[in-house]
Amino acid sequence: MRPSPFGSSKVPVAVLGATGAVGQAFVRLLAVHPWFELAEVAASERSAGRSYAEATRWIGDDEIPPRVAQLTVLPCDPRSVRSPIVFSALDSGVAGEAEAAFAKAGRAVLSNAKNYRMEPDVPLVIAEVNPDHLDVLEAQRKNRDWPGAIVTNGNCAAIAAVLPLAPLQQRFGIRNVFVATMQAVSGAGYPGVASLDILGNVIPFIRDEEPKVEAEVRKFLGHRDGDRITDASLGISAHTNRVPVEHGHMVLMSVQLQKKADLAEVIQTLSQWRGAEEACGLPSSPDRPLVLADAVDRPQPRRDVDAGRGMTVTVGRVREDPLFDVKLVALGHNIIRGAAGASVLNAELMAATGRIELP
Ligand code: NAP
């Protein structure tokens, strides 16, 4: 693992929306992080002033890390939360204003919310795929007249789709993609979907999800064009579905390539891909961002969701597509690779590439 760019002392960080499903994943990851010290947790006025343990309905079989359990929950205001690096797991209803306030106060904000993802001067980053998109931060600071920064990670299903699409785009180009998802209930936050609606059932509708997946895949695979990100010009159609699975979004894709390739070349491209050099060896980087499952009936959420500590996307069933060129199935952990883990990796990437200035 690479040494910390901050030397021997850890940098204090905060989590906004720390009591929610994604916030709790941040707490687990940051409680043991080698470069960052989880110093502050913040949430709504309902939680502020209480201890984290009192304010949080902890989801999972483990215990709240003891040091975090006793932290007092702060309001999501930069006058109360002082850390230079701020991870946001805020509900989108409040994320827009709160994240801008932190960027105006000079903080680096790593956001999971949808509010800024599609702004041309806001990087939407998967560390292994498009680290160069961080270069628009200079333009963001100028355009918005704030000394801080907002960097976003994507919708959880879009991230699981982009990791296998990126190597195909880089080697062959992509003309069209058809995507259908099977998304876990934890993707809806806590308490999320009512158990009587989802047990033994499939819900073929997730509000606003399909346009998000379509737009974000194009932006992730787009390129930096001076001061802005220009989307990739591929066609994409997404169907999104909620299924009774705890964690792990499954993404089924048929892909039409620009340059013809046989199946063996596609499989070789996927299995050899290691992602951008800058993203290798960071504390949250998995050994491999993509792995190909050996068995014909994998990936499966229960068996594969924790691959690479939740940061590896498992790909299987790579085969010829009678309409397009190739079809495959990908599985990603929606809360880790699709949310908190992706944000922490983006912060590590920013730190390792000199993009975080400490006061
Ligand atoms: P969640 O479980 O509903 O948690 C929402 C968090 O926002 C809670 O900590 C809540 O605090 C806080 N909050 C709500 N209203 C607030 C207010 N007025 N002021 C300050 N804080 C407020 O949601 P989640 O699933 O963790 O998702 C968090 C964000 O990540 C959302 O923007 C979501 O779209 C995005 N995301 C989620 C996933 C996923 O798989 N779940 C994946 C990618 C991205 P209180 O407890 O005090 O109410």
Side-chain angles (χ1 to χ4, degrees), residues 17-23 43-44 46-47 76 89-92 94 112-114 117 154 156 186-190 334-335 338-339:
T19 51
V22 174
S44 76
R46 294 180 288 279
S47 307
C76 291
L90 285 173
D91 186 88
S92 59
V94 288
N112 279 270
K114 66 178 181 187
R117 285 180 193 154
C156 32
S186 61
Y190 188 84
N334 50 297
I335 301 269

Side-chain angles (χ1 to χ4, degrees), residues 165 222 229:
L165 289 176
I229 303 300

Side-chain angles (χ1 to χ4, degrees), residues 144-194:
R144 294 169 192 265
D145 195 23
W146 61 38
I150 296 181
V151 172
T152 58
N153 50 282
N155 166 279
C156 32
I159 293 177
V162 167
L163 275 155
L165 289 176
L168 301 181
Q169 163 86 337
Q170 287 160 12
R171 175 132 180 228
F172 310 111
I174 294 175
R175 204 180 296 285
N176 287 303
V177 189
F178 169 84
V179 187
T181 69
M182 294 186 271
Q183 301 184 213
V185 286
S186 61
Y190 188 84
V193 191

Side-chain angles (χ1 to χ4, degrees), residues 68-133:
V68 185
Q70 54 174 8
L71 291 177
T72 300
V73 178
L74 301 170
C76 291
D77 179 325
R79 286 167 303 188
S80 306
V81 174
R82 308 300 304 170
S83 299
I85 300 175
V86 175
F87 295 98
S88 168
L90 285 173
D91 186 88
S92 59
V94 288
E97 226 173 281
E99 292 173 2
F102 278 90
K104 280 184 192 137
R107 321 298 173 77
V109 180
L110 285 298
S111 169
N112 279 270
K114 66 178 181 187
N115 307 61
Y116 291 97
R117 285 180 193 154
M118 294 311 297
E119 301 278 318
D121 62 350
V122 175
L124 173 68
V125 176
I126 298 174
E128 295 94 336
V129 172
N130 58 342
D132 58 310
H133 288 201

